[in-house]
Amino acid sequence: MVFTLKSRYPEFPSERDGEKAVTFARALLNTCQNEFESLPTTFEPTDEERARMEPADLAHEMQMRKKKMLANMKFIGHLFLRQLLAVKVIGQVVHDLIGIREGLPEEHKIECTCELLCTIGYTLDLTPNGKDLMTQFLSRLTDLKRSTGPDGANSFSNRIRFQIQNLIELRGKGWQRKNFKPGPQKKAEVKSDQANQAQASA
C-alpha cells in the first residue's frame, strides 16, 4: 500500500509559497517520527483516568494504547524492510529507546525494542553495518536483563526478561521462529494414516 501511494502521490504541493513540495515518503516519515516522539513515558493510568473510568474500561484503554505502541514499532520496522528507512535511523530509534543514560529505560521501551528487532532482525543482520548494530543492541538488552537493584532484585519483570531472552535465542537460530508441531495422534488417526499409506503403496 505504501509503495502504491508513493507512486500515485509522489509529492504534495506546499501550503506556502516558496516552500518545497512535500513528498509522500517524507510526509509518512514525519508522521512516524511524531508518533515515536510522542511515546508515553509510562503506561500507568493517571489519577484523573482512575477517577473517571471503570476498572474494566481503564484496563481496555491501557491495552489499546499498548497495542498502538507496538503496532507503530512494527510499522517502523516494515518501513526499514521496504528501504524507506536507513540503518542509521534504526540505530537512532533503538538508542532513543534503550540507550545508556542516567537511570534505566521503562519496560515498555524495552518491549518496543524487542518488537522492532523481531520484525527487522533477519534483514538487519544482512546489511553491512546492521550485524554489528544488532550485536550492540543485544549486548545492551542482555545487560538490562541482568541488571538488579540495590536489594539484589531484578530491575525488570520476568515477562520483559523472558522477552529479551527469546529475542537473543531467535537470533541464535537464524531468526527462524518455532513452527507449530501437532500433538500426538490418537489410535484411530494412526490406523487411518497407516491404511492410507498402505493403499497408496498398493
Side-chain angles (χ1 to χ4, degrees):
M1 183 181 72
V2 170
F3 274 97
T4 300
L5 292 174
K6 182 181 177 182
S7 60
R8 183 171 297 181
Y9 303 107
E11 62 181 33
F12 300 97
S14 61
E15 297 180 354
R16 300 176 182 175
D17 294 336
E19 292 184 351
K20 294 182 179 180
V22 179
T23 64
F24 172 79
R26 174 49 54 191
L28 180 63
L29 295 178
N30 286 343
T31 300
C32 287
Q33 181 177 358
N34 292 336
E35 286 289 335
F36 177 73
E37 291 177 349
S38 62
L39 193 69
T41 57
T42 178
F43 272 83
E44 289 297 319
T46 64
D47 292 337
E48 180 184 353
E49 289 172 331
R50 293 180 190 276
R52 65 181 174 82
M53 299 180 71
E54 295 293 330
D57 294 335
L58 188 60
H60 180 264
E61 176 65 22
M62 296 300 107
Q63 185 179 28
M64 294 305 296
R65 288 183 190 177
K66 182 178 178 180
K67 285 184 177 180
K68 178 182 178 182
M69 172 193 71
L70 295 178
N72 285 337
M73 299 310 301
K74 185 173 288 189
F75 186 64
I76 289 174
H78 281 285
L79 290 178
F80 168 76
L81 296 178
R82 300 296 183 183
Q83 300 181 353
L84 292 172
L85 288 179
V87 171
K88 65 178 182 180
V89 176
I90 296 298
Q92 186 60 52
V93 168
V94 176
H95 179 269
D96 290 345
L97 288 170
I98 61 169
I100 298 176
R101 56 177 63 87
E102 185 178 356
L104 295 173
E106 296 85 354
E107 286 200 348
H108 69 276
K109 291 186 177 180
I110 297 177
E111 195 167 1
C112 280
T113 302
C114 291
E115 183 73 27
L116 175 62
L117 297 184
C118 277
T119 303
I120 68 173
Y122 177 81
T123 302
L124 186 63
D125 260 345
L126 296 178
T127 62
N129 300 322
K131 192 169 185 177
D132 291 338
L133 265 181
M134 180 63 72
T135 299
Q136 294 174 25
F137 296 158
L138 294 186
S139 177
R140 171 61 172 161
L141 287 169
T142 299
D143 289 342
L144 293 173
K145 181 172 73 78
R146 295 173 177 170
S147 65
T148 57
D151 59 353
N154 293 317
S155 299
F156 298 102
S157 65
N158 287 339
R159 183 180 65 83
I160 291 298
R161 291 167 56 238
F162 288 150
Q163 195 166 5
I164 293 174
Q165 185 61 35
N166 289 339
L167 178 64
I168 294 171
E169 292 177 358
L170 186 61
R171 191 201 194 193
K173 296 176 181 177
W175 302 103
Q176 296 295 319
R177 296 180 184 272
K178 291 182 179 180
N179 293 323
F180 172 75
K181 294 182 179 180
Q185 290 181 305
K186 297 179 180 180
K187 290 182 179 180
E189 294 173 338
V190 172
K191 290 182 179 180
S192 177
D193 288 347
Q194 290 174 343
N196 291 334
Q197 290 174 3
Q199 184 177 3
S201 60

